[in-house]
Amino acid sequence: MGKPRHAEIAGAGLGGLAAAIALAQHGWSVRVHERSDSLRMFGAGIWLWENGLRSLDALGVEQAATKRAKRIETLVARDPEGRPLMHRSFGSGDRLMLPPRADLYDALIARVEELEVDIELSSTAVGATKHGELELEDGTVRKADLVVAADGVFSRLRETLLLTRRVDYLDEGYTRLLIPRRDGDPATEITEYWSGSRRLLYDPCTDDVNYVCLCCPVDDEAGRRVPVDKGTWLGSFPTLGGIIERIEDTGRWDRAMRVTTRAWSSGVAAVVGDAAHGQPPNLGQGANLTFQNTLALAEYLERESDVAAALTRWERKERPLTDHIQRWTDLYGRAASAWPDRFAHRRSQVLEAVTRIPWVDRQLNRAARHRPVGAR
């Protein structure tokens, strides 16, 4: 056997670790560069749809990542009067689970350690070339058969490769946090409550905590305040005091972003995760697409010895679904928040009718029902 192919990866977030695992499982030697001095994950809960769960299973981390997660049975969106605007049920082959993000990250870390992936902390990548060179902040250049940029929405590597088409700041943002669970809380139903241009998303998470997401336009100063202004959110959702009162002085408000790339690769350098397809979380598919795309990346590289050719084929086959979900998550956000309050009743009527159309259901759930390349 010859010397294994080698990959250098910038970023030890979800995408970087998933890419490292996928490649290492195919016999690659892998080094991951993380600019922080430790591996840590920010965030609250995370939606794992069927496509993401299948991908995580193929990466060897599904059971560890979801060991405390609630199995979701229904997803409902409700208007201010409590009427259901959208309803989705889940079966055994169409799953949705919601673990804490930290559980998922810990499972990925344990797997890269098991595969003996080399992780360099306090190592900042500042550039890459299409010829497989990764430049570090200290001037070191690492040569590899494959360079992977997994360094987020504002990826420096993506830009040095001239792969950025545009990065959009969107008109809404989100405060995501965990609250203590109480007896009697819904255990298997996610509910998204709508009130004017605001949304409150309640998600069962574990036996101990629930995940809550507060969404509002960027010019809603009271809505995006952290610590959360409970009074203003109670004003919008007066029946949800039992949820809002449990919000602690934590959380972080993040503006929604969308990344559009000219391509996912240049030569033997590729971008993955938010660096390739950052998107608002309205459909909860950002991480799931990252897992299925990194899994597929390793599969195409296994089938094709020419790395550049494999990357081109990977994008041609996998990108259309990702682009589709980016469009539909944008549409969902606009439908939810772009209606003036005086037309809220009309919005409820329109959305209730539209979401009952089978074609619309297929578009919203196309990724969730997709079988990833390389998944069992």
Side-chain angles (χ1 to χ4, degrees):
M1 295 179 64
K3 182 179 179 181
R5 291 190 287 182
H6 178 67
E8 296 279 341
I9 299 176
L14 299 180
L17 295 186
I21 293 167
L23 292 167
Q25 289 183 158
H26 283 289
W28 287 65
S29 70
V30 183
R31 181 186 291 116
V32 180
H33 300 267
E34 171 53 42
R35 64 182 181 180
S36 300
D37 59 5
S38 63
L39 296 178
R40 55 183 182 269
M41 176 57 59
F42 298 100
I46 187 166
W47 289 23
L48 296 178
W49 296 85
E50 183 69 32
N51 59 317
L53 291 166
R54 287 181 180 272
S55 300
L56 292 174
D57 177 57
L59 295 172
V61 301
E62 182 199 0
Q63 290 188 0
T66 62
K67 62 183 182 296
R68 297 197 300 149
K70 292 293 186 182
R71 175 74 177 272
I72 304 303
E73 296 179 359
T74 54
L75 169 63
V76 183
R78 298 186 182 276
D79 70 7
E81 284 70 47
R83 293 174 300 189
L85 304 176
M86 181 178 68
H87 184 280
R88 188 180 184 315
S89 298
F90 299 89
S92 59
D94 182 28
R95 297 168 295 163
L96 175 60
M97 300 184 75
L98 215 156
R101 186 175 287 258
D103 284 8
L104 171 60
Y105 195 56
D106 288 345
L108 291 169
I109 292 171
R111 183 64 173 146
V112 298
E113 291 176 346
E114 179 184 353
L115 293 168
E116 298 183 345
V117 170
D118 183 13
I119 297 181
E120 292 193 1
L121 301 175
S122 301
S123 180
T124 301
V126 297
T129 73
K130 66 180 182 180
H131 305 295
E133 297 162 326
L134 182 71
E135 181 185 352
L136 303 179
E137 193 172 48
D138 64 4
T140 302
V141 176
R142 296 284 174 80
K143 189 77 171 78
D145 299 289
L146 171 70
V147 171
V148 178
D151 50 342
V153 170
F154 300 106
S155 171
R156 296 175 71 175
L157 270 62
R158 182 189 63 226
E159 186 53 25
T160 63
L161 293 164
L162 302 179
L163 294 177
T164 307
R165 185 177 300 280
R166 57 188 296 173
V167 177
D168 294 304
Y169 291 82
L170 304 183
D171 292 332
E172 61 183 7
Y174 311 83
T175 301
R176 289 167 277 199
L177 38 83
L178 297 173
I179 63 171
R181 180 171 174 76
R182 289 179 180 170
D183 291 341
D185 284 349
T188 61
E189 180 173 288
I190 291 174
T191 308
E192 185 175 56
Y193 300 93
W194 296 20
S195 178
S197 58
R198 291 180 175 182
R199 286 177 284 156
L200 186 153
L201 183 67
Y202 163 87
D203 310 75
C205 193
T206 73
D207 288 338
D208 302 313
V209 294
N210 296 319
Y211 169 38
V212 171
C213 177
L214 308 176
C215 175
C216 66
V218 295
D219 56 3
D220 183 348
E221 292 188 23
R224 59 183 168 86
R225 192 171 295 144
V226 178
V228 172
D229 185 334
K230 300 180 186 179
T232 189
W233 283 95
L234 278 169
S236 296
F237 300 96
T239 64
L240 302 182
I243 294 175
I244 295 169
E245 69 181 11
R246 281 179 268 171
I247 294 175
E248 301 174 351
D249 293 342
T250 57
R252 186 179 71 184
W253 188 86
D254 294 299
R255 188 170 182 177
M257 307 289 295
R258 180 178 59 243
V259 172
T260 307
T261 55
R262 297 175 58 243
W264 282 2
S265 68
S266 175
V268 298
V271 291
V272 301
D274 284 347
H277 49 76
Q279 58 190 268
N282 297 312
L283 297 185
Q285 270 291 341
N288 296 274
L289 290 169
T290 294
F291 299 141
Q292 75 173 42
N293 288 338
T294 53
L295 182 67
L297 171 65
E299 289 291 325
Y300 285 102
L301 287 164
E302 182 71 9
R303 301 172 186 176
E304 171 65 66
S305 60
D306 185 320
V307 172
L311 295 181
T312 299
R313 181 174 175 80
W314 166 64
E315 178 175 0
R316 185 170 67 250
K317 294 291 187 179
E318 303 301 317
R319 182 166 180 170
L321 177 59
T322 299
D323 289 347
H324 170 88
I325 295 302
Q326 273 194 312
R327 290 192 297 270
W328 278 84
T329 195
D330 281 355
L331 285 171
Y332 188 96
R334 292 194 190 103
S337 62
W339 293 63
D341 288 353
R342 65 182 182 277
F343 294 132
H345 180 67
R346 177 66 65 183
R347 175 183 64 181
S348 298
Q349 292 176 328
V350 170
L351 291 174
E352 184 178 10
V354 168
T355 54
R356 291 178 183 272
I357 300 172
W359 179 83
V360 173
D361 174 76
R362 289 195 298 270
Q363 307 317 305
L364 290 170
N365 296 293
R366 183 180 292 180
R369 293 166 179 159
H370 172 73
R371 183 180 290 272
V373 173
R376 292 185 281 270

